[in-house]
Amino acid sequence: MTGPMPSGTISAGAMNLIASLLEQRTGQQITANRVWRIETALKTMLRAEGLESADALVAKLLTRAEPKLAERVVDALLNQETSFFRDAAVLETAADALTSLQADVPHRRLRIWSAACATGQEPLSLAMLLAERGMAEGALAPEILASDVSPSALARARAGRYSQFEIQRGLPVRRMIEWFEGGEGEWVAKAELVRRIRFRRHNLAADPPPPGKFDLVLCRNVLLYFSPSLRTRVFDTLAGAVRPGGLLVLGAGETVIGQTGQFRPSEQFRGFYRLADPAACAATG
């Protein structure tokens, strides 16, 4: 939490406790100018719990009568803003990079990690792109691992179920018809698409990287919610996950510059990052 929380319809004490809970569980901060998200995010939960206010929710949390309540509060607060083919040019470059890597190691299966995948639009978009490039079939089809800290987001991602609004955000009609089935306001990704992705729960702020090394790691638009010290630790986690010669993709407003010595800009793929030379890492460590 950064700075005191202003009071409004929620008391300052309740806001501070809820924001601290989010940071303790996920590393994500709610800055003072974004506390409106607490009220907005908790409205549905308050109705479901039969509570009149966030202060009443905090009072219930403090009784510790429901062990899972804190987890549900944190889950409700997580920012799941995403869309299909978000920053489409970045995903096209990612597909280009994978094509190039596959040419360099034609007998090895590429591995991709979509970290903080929210409700799954990013890994599904990438799976579509790889299928369109003929890279999604056979024993050497790239492995896509998608992870998130939110159990509810992962459940939706595994189901591949989206509203009409979500399906229209970034998804061209051609791809919608090819890869989804639906109507009456709901669309479901075809099983042949969803099965190309493995989903798992992972907390970037606390967990070690998934086993093995990855040729491409996408970690977009989540590091900006972390404190500088936590961001540095997460970069160490990501560096431990990237295979030598592999690439890291960040969000448009994120960079490694001034944040870590583990990565440096890729000369080949603009806006992407590769592992720094070991000597450079030692010099900045």
Side-chain angles (χ1 to χ4, degrees), residues 85 88 91-92 95 124-134 175:
F85 294 93
L91 291 183
E92 290 286 355
L124 286 170
S125 298
L126 195 55
M128 286 182 246
L129 281 176
L130 295 180
E132 291 167 3
R133 292 178 179 228
R175 286 177 173 143

Side-chain angles (χ1 to χ4, degrees), residues 29 83 96 125 134 217 231 234 267 271:
Q29 296 181 328
S83 62
D96 290 341
S125 298
V217 174
R231 204 174 298 141
V234 173
E267 295 85 355

Side-chain angles (χ1 to χ4, degrees), residues 215-217 219 223 235 242-243 245-257 259-260 262-276:
D215 299 279
L216 180 71
V217 174
C219 185
L223 295 178
F235 273 124
V242 176
R243 187 191 304 274
L247 294 164
L248 170 67
V249 187
L250 301 178
E254 298 166 327
T255 182
V256 304
I257 299 171
Q259 308 288 325
T260 177
Q262 298 275 22
F263 292 94
R264 60 179 295 176
S266 167
E267 295 85 355
Q268 185 176 3
F269 299 102
R270 183 178 176 85
F272 287 25
Y273 302 94
R274 65 177 179 83
L275 288 173

